[in-house]
Amino acid sequence: MNNNSGAILVLSGPSGAGKSTLLNEIIHDIGESYFSISTTTRKIREGETNGIHYHFVSEEEFKQDINDEYFLEYAFVHGNYYGTSLKPVKRALKAGKLVIFDIDVQGNTVVNNRLGDITTSVFISPPTLSILKHRLEARKTDTQEVIDRRVSMAKKEIQRISEYDYLVINDDLEEAAQTLRTIALASRLKVPMQDINEFAQKWEDIEQ
Ligand code: 5GP
């Protein structure tokens, strides 16, 4: 059965787990995809570009977008709002693309509730908490206070790994990338419930 209706790949995991690096490693090997650019009220970091990494907006603008039902899901993470715009996601799914989300555990719950039949979720984790701390400190993009907040958030997020289809431990980059590549390719093959039902109905039409 061919699946031309697109699928969703959710990537979650603590900041510093290496989600973006892993995604860059595999993005050219997984067919046509669309990376969902979230909207956030967080301050832009050095090296980030508005419209590429995030759409950076004020809290007022974000709240207006919530009222306008602009988001598929949104959440308050590390003291800032983050949200996934619905329209470009719909468009990409219609075009048969694999839509990739980098969202937190709260976002994963919503996406699974709304679009679970075409969603595959992956939790990406560094091997240990101390390695995570070390990576965040080496990145030099956050203050110690922000790092401490991210670390304590990570401890909570880890408790919810069981809500994900897959766990990828990012120890050896090549190995983790290969695992994620395999998962991403398989995630494209998920078939929407509606198509399965239609197939089952047609299948029963075969003459006896
Ligand atoms: P960062 O500030 O490091 O870019 O992201 C912080 C956290 O927010 C990460 O766990 C990331 O996955 C999550 N995040 C980014 N965009 C979204 C979004 O649109 N929705 C939700 N629920 N989480 C998001």
Side-chain angles (χ1 to χ4, degrees), residues 7-136:
I8 293 173
L9 182 66
V10 171
L11 305 180
S12 296
S15 329
K19 285 171 288 182
S20 321
T21 313
L22 280 171
L23 195 54
N24 284 337
E25 285 285 313
I26 67 162
I27 200 76
H28 299 297
D29 313 326
I30 57 174
E32 267 215 276
S33 63
Y34 166 73
F35 179 76
S36 163
I37 302 166
S38 297
T39 301
T40 184
T41 58
R42 146 161 101 59
K43 287 211 177 74
I44 191 163
R45 277 194 206 127
E46 215 184 299
E48 285 182 329
T49 309
N50 191 14
I52 291 182
H53 296 93
Y54 283 105
H55 299 293
F56 294 94
V57 299
S58 68
E59 203 163 310
E60 261 176 23
E61 286 173 274
F62 197 96
K63 286 186 174 159
Q64 187 58 49
D65 286 346
I66 296 175
N67 286 337
D68 294 344
E69 296 183 357
Y70 180 76
F71 296 121
L72 165 64
E73 64 76 38
Y74 67 90
F76 195 64
V77 191
H78 308 308
N80 294 295
Y81 285 102
Y82 294 83
T84 307
S85 345
L86 182 58
K87 267 192 196 161
V89 170
K90 272 186 171 172
R91 219 178 296 134
L93 285 175
K94 218 171 162 192
K97 293 184 184 173
L98 179 65
V99 179
I100 304 171
F101 294 142
D102 174 348
I103 56 176
D104 81 328
V105 287
Q106 305 169 72
N108 179 49
T109 305
V110 178
V111 172
N112 262 293
N113 286 341
R114 294 185 71 170
L115 296 158
D117 58 340
I118 53 165
T119 299
T120 300
S121 59
V122 186
F123 193 95
I124 298 173
S125 176
T128 66
L129 187 62
S130 53
I131 291 175
L132 172 68
K133 241 180 173 171
H134 181 74
R135 284 185 191 168
L136 286 173

